[in-house]
């Protein structure tokens, strides 16, 4: 069962609501003797946190993480690592009026249908605020993976505006507020997103994440496949509507000859002449870069007026005030990186467990 | 852990290799007192089985399922249901020459990298033959879901040839060898696939599955979401490279207003004016039809010659003889239906467990 | 995997070390709409807390629990309930000298063997302090079970001093510092334990727990049996060395005729003429009172001098200063009750999930 | 969830009823490249099988195991190992009359209470026949553990007749039909059991199992403890009513000084001067021999007449004809050994996974 738990040997449990006193995460199964401090986790949280540009929500949360257990004298002990992040900038007032209203695209209606109760303040448990925990867990996962394995992500499409893959430059990603690897596209996105934001609308996006230098052999056929676990992890991120590995949906249009990643020898080791597989064959890593993409729907919260209903069945017009991301896909990048890191850390340990 | 197990409360474990004596599946957690016989399962296996047209592999397997336990006097007893399907048409000879060769796109190389050993006959454990077990488990899942919940799928794209959604007619699906809901497209695909097949090539496809009449409230935030479990299940199918829910990747191009499935009242119940969500909000079903799609890459086995290497690092040209599907996406439809059924059956029980 | 997680549908994850800033627990899978406040949990923690008599450790911990999530307007929401208890009376000084020393009977040596590191302060993760979390989770489990199901425990033996079962009176349990249901035995234990304590020694005990009014049908053959899950839960408690159900080890000496709990009808329902089964047959509850006992070894920490070794392999004499329970079995009663409650709550939900 | 699954990284799923066509077991997570053939498993099944002496049931079952998957050219491949054992000597006739009757001590009543249906033939799923699967899985677990780790068990008590520990000689175990390590006790048991058997009665027993040469460091605090997993495994065996580790229940009577396993150095390594701990401290192996005992109740099936009821609530006298073990504890030895082996194999892999 995994209601609020992700992973197997390396696993984390998250808890907390958007407007409760705090959110947090318990990381279980971490190997001992890894150097770990809050300063290893904080930079990743800072990268995800709101309020960093006008293109993301203006909620101000320092997202300061505290380690409450599992680390002793600067090293992991192999016991559970409890992480806590206090909520400081709740404005529950903003949400009082949605208490009885169902916002289209949100989980208001479905939480009520399931549980008969919901913490409506800021989306409660369904708030993207929960993803801070994933980012924190991901920072620990990176420690398990070691420095050789590089996990990084980028936004490759906002609305219909794709990057030009020819322009891809990882260094650009931190130089614009969009995690965009294409300097030219980033420029275009700026005015486009301003327009979206000002019109009280929102827009979708596509995020791409890579894991480089993953050794061949991780993954577990047939129901613990590396790609199915990645799909599971990415699709569990708020607003995700699609996941693809390597060529993904494009491979539907390929012939076998086009799709084949042919293999040659290079300096004593095999090498692939293409990476349509996204680094995974038969659910197991093949040594090439792991590539995954996910589609993030436009933020459901927006100022535009939408038709909806209340809890008691009254037809209403709904308009979501409060502070929102015009394109929630932007802040999804560090979350996607974190989920990929967590899946890989879990599979590293699982592989080592079975195969030694 | 889920190396070879799928699901939680309703779960199944599969075993078996393409060219071993048999394959099978143990279904655990099935509720008692459901009427169940081999005849409830066989039709779904027949729909998946090879050799039914010239567009699928010519291997002849009756895929006759036997129930070995868990059913007494025609009813499930709540104990494990063991299903077995004998392999009858192995021609291991065909595969002898791939013993030392890595076929591009296959799991040959990765199984060796992981385990240091592989049953190379017919792909061994990585063969799509394993999916017969999923189909069998799915037939039992359907029993748990009951007749009201309709689960069905179709091929909506082969190569670059999409169906016209306007022509969608479920009745067409069984009238052509492609599971195609668009009679006109089916016609075009026939000549297209013949051409692919004759050229010794293969082609990708997109499969779409629907689940109608799923009640609102199934699913479990945040790491047991209905959509993340569906993504996990579909992505675990052989050759799957992408999964999307509802509008999926298209939602990246949508604005919030375009994407919003507005809500109105209809005859005392709420109704959605669109289904971009694919029937799932916040990981929980909203009562609308659940819609998922998956991308299936072109069959990696084909007659065309590809560059590859051997186990010992020698560069070779490889050409896969044997009997293969020119478009493995076709036979993926009943498998995708089955996985969707299994995820839903599991969530039905999980929801009932937590919420009553 | 269950390194630090207990249960399946109703499950909890604990974290924290004896001398860290806090300990805590995340309860996942709790049904929604149960009334829950700190005041529902605190009384159980107060019953377990140290410093309540001269027969238990003099560490002063208020063990004040705080609910950080999962409860909204006084009711559970079905999302994770995060509980935290601050550590306030750590005296890590006391433990500095055991940094390099292995105390016989403790986990010092084995944690080092496993992890190559340990938080030696107060036993770190292996401290019985962890059990406060179990008690907190157990209070929530009781809510799930409802008021009809009564779970209560008692100490039935300290050292070689058993109670006289004829004298059993549940009301006595709260009237002496030993959770003893036999007023006469409690009196004897007082002087006996004073003697043990003053001699710098410690002593073992046996705890018995009952669950009354559990309906027939809970449990899950054959690897989720109610009794095997109870055995798992009780044996995971610090210092537990044995678990038995019903007649337990005594049944080894019984003939089949002596052991048989014969069945008769009583007022339209069946009734058992004995309860050697401890309320469980074939791993499933039979409707009779569930009875389990566990053996608790004497506290390993004591003032008496013992032969041991250091981390670096030097032979030493070790003597454990600090504040300790002369009979740790006493404070184990609320912990055993809690574990029984958690197992039953989990099985209630699991049964409902499978059977409805 | 673990309805019919045992273990985590090394896990097995069992299926089958006493009078169905077969029983079986799927072993998942086994490391690759272990040499494995039916002949590695069969001797353990032969040791458990019925009909080997007049002191066990006269049902004749060859218990011939077949490997259906997961082994290729004599070696494990890391994929699921499916094992099947056909049922050949069902005499369902014998059981027809218990269709409507509840045999005291059996699971008849509780299966009906839980599921509303049961396969009454020979106890169906609750039959001890299921344990053959455990023995088969255990044989594979031994392969994982390697030859250095010796797992063996013995009956140490039948009825009130204990062995004299002074006489313990492992070589005796195979020289009498009781797995008795004390030649003198074995002699006494012979006449004692003949008497029990002829009187149509049955008797309980205590089984002790050892695992020698387990390295220090296996186990996982605090909810995956080696001892709690052993307790879980042993208590899941049919008719088990108690489990203890090391001194077990006797430790309740010990003082701390008596119970302490003091530590000294011996040839550069630490050594314990006693083994009251049974080789486990804080849930982790300490390098000493792991010692566990379990209490097995007397066989519930016997010729003596007992009071009971029918499904429809009629009071009856019940007398179980058929072929039964007068002391089911005898055949429990290889089962207990197997469960201990499985727990250890799982923990070996889990430890390797987390700690490397």
């Amino acid at each position: 069962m995994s209601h609020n738990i992700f992973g197997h040997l390396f696993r984390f449990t998250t808890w907390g609501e958007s407007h409760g006193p705090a959110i947090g995460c318990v990381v279980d199964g971490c190997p001992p003797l890894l150097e770990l401090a809050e300063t290893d986790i904080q930079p990743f949280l800072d990268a995800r946190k709101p309020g960093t540009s006008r293109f993301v929500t203006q909620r101000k949360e320092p997202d300061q993480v505290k380690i409450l257990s599992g680390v002793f004298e600067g090293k992991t002990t192999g016991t559970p690592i409890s992480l806590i992040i206090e909520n400081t900038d709740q404005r529950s007032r903003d949400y009082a009026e949605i208490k009885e209203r169902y916002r289209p695209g949100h989980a208001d209606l479905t939480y009520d249908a399931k549980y008969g109760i919901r913490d409506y303040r800021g989306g409660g448990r369904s708030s993207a605020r929960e993803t801070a925990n994933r980012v924190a867990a991901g920072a620990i996962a990176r420690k398990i993976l070691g420095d050789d394995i590089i996990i990084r992500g980028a936004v490759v499409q906002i609305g219909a505006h794709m990057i030009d893959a020819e322009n891809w430059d990882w260094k650009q990603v931190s130089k614009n507020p969009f995690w965009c690897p294409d300097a030219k596209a980033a420029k275009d996105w700026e005015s486009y997103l301003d327009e979206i934001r000002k019109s009280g609308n929102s827009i979708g996006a596509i995020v791409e994440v890579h894991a480089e230098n993953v050794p061949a052999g991780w993954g577990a056929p047939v129901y613990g496949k590396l790609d199915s676990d990645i799909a599971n992890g990415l699709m569990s991120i708020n607003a995700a509507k699609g996941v693809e590995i390597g060529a993904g949906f494009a491979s539907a249009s390929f012939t076998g000859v086009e799709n084949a990643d042919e293999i040659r020898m290079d300096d004593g080791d095999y090498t692939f002449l293409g990476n349509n597989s996204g680094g995974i064959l038969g659910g197991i890593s093949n040594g090439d870069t792991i590539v995954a993409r996910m589609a993030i729907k436009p933020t459901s919260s927006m100022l535009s007026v939408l038709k909806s209903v209340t809890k008691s069945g009254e037809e209403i017009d709904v308009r979501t005030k409060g502070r929102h991301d015009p394109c929630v896909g932007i802040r999804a990048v560090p979350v996607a990186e974190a989920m990929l890191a967590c899946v890989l850390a879990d599979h590293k340990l699982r592989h080592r467990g079975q195969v030694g």
Side-chain angles (χ1 to χ4, degrees), chain A residues 6 41 115 167 197 210 219 238 250 254 317 323:
Chain A
F6 188 82
I41 303 171
Y115 298 120
N167 297 341
R197 188 169 54 86
H210 290 201
N238 307 47
F254 290 174
D317 284 345
R323 301 157 297 179

Side-chain angles (χ1 to χ4, degrees), chain A residues 290-348:
Chain A
I290 289 172
V291 178
R293 263 176 311 280
M294 74 173 168
I296 297 287
K297 69 176 183 181
T299 319
S300 299
S301 303
M302 55 194 156
L303 289 169
S304 300
V305 175
L306 296 170
K307 295 186 188 118
S308 192
V309 299
T310 63
K311 204 168 167 172
S312 52
E314 190 191 354
E315 296 195 338
I316 52 163
D317 284 345
V318 77
R319 185 169 171 269
T320 309
K321 285 180 283 185
R323 301 157 297 179
H324 308 295
D325 292 276
C327 175
V328 79
I330 297 171
R331 286 173 59 219
V333 177
V335 184
E337 289 177 0
M339 293 309 287
L340 183 55
C342 288
V343 169
L344 289 170
D346 189 25
H347 273 286
K348 176 178 178 173

Side-chain angles (χ1 to χ4, degrees), chain A residues 5-341:
Chain A
I5 296 176
F6 188 82
H8 297 270
L9 270 190
F10 175 79
R11 72 194 320 181
F12 62 91
T13 304
T14 76
W15 56 268
E17 282 85 37
S18 179
H19 288 220
I23 59 172
C25 173
V26 183
V27 174
D28 196 11
C30 185
L33 297 170
L34 301 174
E35 295 196 6
L36 186 71
E38 275 98 349
T39 50
D40 292 308
I41 303 171
Q42 197 60 48
F44 296 99
L45 286 168
D46 291 348
R48 190 213 73 104
K49 82 176 172 194
T52 53
S53 84
R54 71 178 184 278
F55 304 104
V56 297
T57 172
Q58 296 307 300
R59 178 170 173 170
K60 297 287 183 210
E61 285 291 353
D63 278 357
Q64 207 70 41
V65 69
K66 262 184 267 176
I67 297 175
L68 296 181
S69 69
V71 176
F72 183 61
E73 298 179 343
K75 287 191 179 132
T76 59
T77 61
T79 62
I81 303 169
S82 177
L83 304 172
I84 194 167
I85 299 168
E86 281 176 48
N87 291 328
T88 62
D89 189 26
Q90 310 100 314
R91 293 197 203 150
S92 300
R93 224 163 338 162
D94 291 350
Y95 296 96
E97 73 168 28
I98 59 157
K99 185 174 170 176
E100 303 293 330
R101 291 162 169 241
Y102 294 144
R103 296 165 298 165
H106 274 285
D108 304 340
L109 183 150
T110 53
Y111 269 63
D112 262 3
K114 182 173 193 72
Y115 298 120
I117 183 174
R118 71 188 155 102
D119 178 350
Y120 53 81
R121 300 165 307 162
R125 180 70 182 150
S126 72
S127 165
R129 186 145 182 69
E130 188 272 342
T131 61
N133 293 316
R134 304 172 184 239
V135 171
I140 297 175
R142 286 174 195 261
K143 285 275 175 175
I144 295 171
L145 295 170
D147 289 341
D148 273 2
I149 294 182
I150 298 166
I151 294 170
R152 49 190 179 180
V155 175
V156 297
Q157 184 176 332
I158 287 186
H161 303 259
M162 276 181 242
I163 64 159
D164 180 345
E166 297 287 310
N167 297 341
W168 193 298
D169 176 5
W170 281 109
K171 289 197 208 84
Q172 289 301 320
V173 167
S174 57
K175 294 189 177 152
N176 60 68
F178 308 111
W179 299 78
C180 180
D182 171 354
K184 191 172 159 307
K187 209 144 201 169
D188 299 344
W189 292 358
E190 195 164 329
S191 53
Y192 178 63
L193 259 189
D194 267 333
E195 195 184 304
I196 290 284
R197 188 169 54 86
K198 286 173 187 164
S199 67
N201 211 332
S202 62
I203 192 71
I206 296 181
V207 169
E208 180 168 324
V209 278
H210 290 201
E212 293 160 55
N213 303 322
V214 173
W218 292 4
V222 296
Y223 298 110
K225 281 179 173 164
L226 196 51
D227 34 3
S228 55
D229 277 359
I230 292 170
N232 182 22
L234 295 183
M235 196 66 104
S236 75
I237 297 173
N238 307 47
K241 298 305 289 183
V243 177
E244 54 182 16
I245 304 293
F249 277 87
S251 66
S253 306
F254 290 174
T255 64
V257 171
E258 287 163 344
N259 187 62
D261 301 322
E262 292 181 298
I263 320 176
R264 293 281 86 173
M265 294 306 292
D266 178 28
D267 203 15
D269 205 358
Y270 57 80
T271 185
F272 296 93
L273 306 184
N275 191 14
N276 287 320
S277 74
I280 303 173
L281 289 169
I284 302 171
S285 60
N286 68 6
D288 210 338
T289 297
I290 289 172
V291 178
R293 263 176 311 280
M294 74 173 168
I296 297 287
K297 69 176 183 181
T299 319
S300 299
S301 303
M302 55 194 156
L303 289 169
S304 300
V305 175
L306 296 170
K307 295 186 188 118
S308 192
V309 299
T310 63
K311 204 168 167 172
S312 52
E314 190 191 354
E315 296 195 338
I316 52 163
D317 284 345
V318 77
R319 185 169 171 269
T320 309
K321 285 180 283 185
R323 301 157 297 179
H324 308 295
D325 292 276
C327 175
V328 79
I330 297 171
R331 286 173 59 219
V333 177
V335 184
E337 289 177 0
M339 293 309 287
L340 183 55

